Amino acid sequence: WTTAFGDSLWAMRGLRVLFGAGAILGMYVFCREVFSERGDGIALLTAALVALRTLQIRWSAEVRMYAMGAALCAFSSWALARALRPGQDRLFPWVIYAVLALAFAYTHQMALFSVAAQGLFAVGLILVRGRAPGAGRSARIASLRGGVVAAVLFAAGYGWWLAALVG
C-alpha cells in the first residue's frame, strides 16, 4: 500500500477508510443474505447504523487494524451464511468462509472469539436442521463435509501461529 500511495497520513488513512466502507458493505450483504425475504430494508438500516456508529467512524480514521477487522468480521459472517444456505452442497462457499475467517484471525487475536462463535453457530444449525422433519441425510452430510473442510483449512492456516502465540 505504501509503495503505491506513499506513507503520508492521508495515504495511510485511505486504506482504513476503504476498510470502513467495506464494513458497511459487508453488513449490508450479510443482512441481505440472512433476511432474504425482507432483506432490503433491514440491510439498508443495518448499513446506515454501521455507517453512523461513532466507533466505526473513529476506526476508519485510525491507522490501525480495527476497520479491517470489522470488514472481515462482516464478510466472514456473510460467507458463513451463504455456506449454510439450505440446499447448498458445494465446498466453494466453505472455502471462501475459511479464507475470510483466517484473514480475520490474522488481523486481531480477539477475532478468534468471533470465529469460534461462528463455528458454534454453524454446528448448532447443522444439528438442528438434521433433526427437522423431512431433512435429508445427503444435505446434512454435505453441510458437515463443508464445515469440516472449512475447519481443517482454518486450523492448517492458523495452527502454527496459535502455537507461536501460546508457546
Side-chain angles (χ1 to χ4, degrees):
W1 180 262
T2 57
T3 302
F5 298 102
D7 60 356
S8 70
L9 185 61
W10 287 100
M12 297 299 287
R13 285 186 177 172
L15 179 61
R16 301 303 173 220
V17 169
L18 289 176
F19 281 121
I24 297 166
L25 177 64
M27 287 305 298
Y28 175 82
V29 295
F30 170 67
C31 288
R32 182 87 192 252
E33 180 69 31
V34 172
F35 303 105
S36 58
E37 293 174 6
R38 55 187 187 282
D40 286 336
I42 293 172
L44 285 173
L45 177 64
T46 303
L49 290 174
V50 171
L52 297 174
R53 184 173 178 234
T54 307
L55 279 177
Q56 183 66 26
I57 295 168
R58 182 176 175 185
W59 290 345
S60 295
E62 291 183 3
V63 184
R64 298 186 71 180
M65 76 303 216
Y66 299 119
M68 181 186 215
L72 288 170
C73 182
F75 280 111
S76 67
S77 297
W78 166 75
L80 181 62
R82 284 199 65 102
L84 288 170
R85 182 187 286 174
Q88 178 65 261
D89 60 351
R90 297 180 328 193
L91 288 178
F92 185 69
W94 287 103
V95 172
I96 295 297
Y97 167 71
V99 168
L100 288 169
L102 188 60
F104 182 33
Y106 275 121
T107 301
H108 198 289
Q109 286 111 2
M110 292 300 191
L112 290 176
F113 293 110
S114 294
V115 173
Q118 290 172 343
L120 288 173
F121 175 79
V123 168
L125 186 63
I126 290 169
L127 290 175
V128 167
R129 280 188 187 158
R131 294 177 187 233
R137 179 177 164 88
S138 63
R140 185 173 54 233
I141 290 173
S143 291
L144 284 173
R145 182 186 57 179
V148 168
V149 166
V152 167
L153 287 174
F154 183 83
Y158 199 75
W160 69 274
W161 182 249
L162 189 60
L165 282 175
V166 173

